[in-house]
């Protein structure tokens, strides 16, 4: 198997895992404070990452790599989880998943800025068209779902795109699973303190689904998914493999409808399909 094919396969596995993040977060924030959910998931994943690094005796990152790890931590360990958790207090996971259609464009933009990639002009045409469809969807609904929720989701997409691109670039030298592991460990002291501060006075009123949601986003969304995702970005290219995120709305909407029994309108499906078609066209010109 060549390096590019391996990159697409690893990226696909990562996207499948990430697709469950928003529905799981939606379930968890029904009973957990969004700030506690953010710091607890990072603390749990950080402890697991630290154990993994120690057992496998991985070398410490260099001083030059620490700055990139801070960006990764700020984007995907803290920024995206916190902003989406806050957004999901205002909008459904089905509505928020549509915004994931913007992630390929955000990732590609930061891939150019931070990773030095140079997609062809036609790539940007398709990507911008897809982004316009997503923005038009929100405007067509009059932001009725919640202006606050939509703005939080847009902010989440931006910081996530930066974290993806920075991590994908760093993975070329540090390794895919090592990047997310060191980013989690770097955040661990602060996340542990914040977890204690925001911990509920009692867990007696928390139902099993909320705990399952916390477990999923801690283990899979924060750690396992990134092992495959960053490896895929480093092997197949940030802008190119980043287009696999177009599949995430399909998987996410299916999970939201199946597990959460949320309403998935024809408008949501139409926009999701249109965005996927646009950015799939961009994939052809990613390199």
């Amino acid at each position: 198997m060549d390096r590019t094919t391996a990159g697409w396969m690893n990226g696909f596995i990562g996207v499948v895992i990430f697709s469950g993040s928003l529905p799981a977060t939606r379930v968890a924030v029904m009973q957990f404070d969004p700030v506690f959910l953010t710091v607890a998931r990072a603390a749990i994943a950080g402890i697991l990452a630290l154990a993994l690094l120690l057992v496998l005796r991985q070398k410490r990152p260099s001083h030059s790599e620490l700055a990139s790890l801070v960006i990764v931590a700020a984007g995907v360990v803290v920024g995206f989880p916190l902003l989406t958790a806050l957004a999901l207090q205002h909008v459904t996971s089905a509505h928020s998943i549509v915004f994931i259609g913007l992630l390929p464009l955000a990732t590609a933009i930061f891939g150019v800025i931070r990773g030095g990639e140079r997609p062809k002009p036609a790539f940007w045409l398709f990507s911008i068209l897809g982004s316009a469809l997503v923005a038009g969807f929100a405007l067509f609904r009059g932001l009725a779902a919640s202006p606050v929720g939509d703005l939080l989701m847009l902010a989440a997409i931006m910081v996530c795109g930066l974290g993806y691109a920075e991590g994908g670039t760093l993975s070329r030298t540090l390794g895919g699973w090592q990047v997310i592991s060191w980013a989690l460990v770097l955040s661990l002291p602060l996340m542990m303190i914040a977890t204690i501060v925001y911990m509920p006075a009692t867990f007696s009123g928390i139902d099993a689904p909320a705990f399952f949601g916390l477990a999923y986003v801690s283990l899979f969304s924060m750690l396992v998914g990134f092992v495959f995702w960053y490896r895929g970005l480093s092997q197949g290219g940030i802008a190119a493999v980043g287009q696999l995120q177009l599949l995430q709305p399909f998987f996410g909407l299916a999970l939201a409808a199946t597990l959460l029994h949320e309403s998935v309108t024809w408008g949501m499906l139409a926009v999701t399909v249109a965005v996927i078609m646009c950015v799939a066209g961009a994939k052809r010109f990613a390199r």
Side-chain angles (χ1 to χ4, degrees):
M1 184 185 301
D2 62 73
R3 182 177 176 84
T4 300
T5 302
W8 282 93
M9 289 185 65
N10 283 314
F12 179 79
I13 295 172
V15 165
V16 172
I17 293 172
F18 290 152
S19 296
S21 298
L22 290 178
T25 300
R26 174 68 172 174
V27 171
V29 297
M30 290 179 179
Q31 295 185 304
F32 284 120
D33 176 82
V35 176
F36 171 75
L37 177 64
T38 299
V39 296
R41 66 189 278 184
I44 294 169
I47 293 171
L48 295 173
L50 178 60
L52 192 62
L53 290 168
L54 291 174
V55 169
L56 297 179
R57 298 181 179 181
Q58 295 298 300
K59 67 176 183 178
R60 295 180 180 180
S62 65
H63 290 293
S64 61
E65 292 170 332
L66 284 176
S68 292
L69 286 172
V70 169
I71 294 175
V72 173
V76 303
V77 176
V78 180
F80 184 75
L82 177 59
L83 290 169
T84 52
L86 291 171
L88 287 167
Q89 290 189 314
H90 302 278
V91 299
T92 66
S93 61
H95 179 80
S96 65
I97 284 166
V98 177
F99 284 85
I100 300 301
L102 292 170
L103 257 178
L105 177 59
T107 303
I109 290 173
F110 288 114
V112 169
I113 297 172
R114 302 295 302 177
E117 297 190 354
R118 293 293 182 269
K120 297 177 181 179
F123 169 88
W124 299 109
L125 178 63
F126 280 107
S127 294
I128 291 171
L129 180 58
S131 300
L133 284 168
V134 174
F137 171 76
L139 292 174
F140 178 76
R141 291 170 62 90
L143 297 179
S146 170
V148 174
D150 286 345
L151 289 174
L152 286 169
M153 280 304 305
L154 286 173
I157 294 304
M158 293 302 295
V159 299
C160 188
L162 174 59
Y164 280 175
E166 194 70 27
T169 301
L170 187 57
S171 294
R172 298 169 184 168
T173 56
L174 189 60
W177 73 267
Q178 291 92 334
V179 167
I180 187 58
S181 294
W182 283 115
L184 287 165
V185 170
L186 195 63
S187 309
L188 185 56
L190 180 60
M191 295 299 101
M192 287 291 292
I193 294 172
T195 298
I196 295 172
V197 171
Y198 287 98
M199 185 179 296
T202 176
F203 290 96
S204 60
I206 308 297
D207 296 326
F211 281 112
F212 286 133
L214 173 60
Y216 187 92
V217 297
S218 300
L219 178 59
F220 292 98
S221 302
M222 291 301 298
L223 185 58
V224 177
F226 278 106
V227 171
F228 292 100
W229 182 241
Y230 279 147
R231 183 182 300 170
L233 291 178
S234 66
Q235 291 175 327
I238 296 170
V241 175
Q243 305 311 303
L244 282 170
Q245 295 167 105
L246 296 173
L247 298 174
Q248 193 167 330
F250 270 144
F251 296 140
L253 287 172
L255 286 171
T258 303
L259 301 179
L260 304 182
H261 307 293
E262 291 183 354
S263 174
V264 178
T265 67
W266 285 108
M268 289 181 186
L269 291 174
V271 171
T272 301
V273 171
V275 169
I276 287 175
M277 291 176 64
C278 287
V279 192
K283 169 184 173 294
R284 180 179 178 185
F285 303 100
R287 286 187 168 185

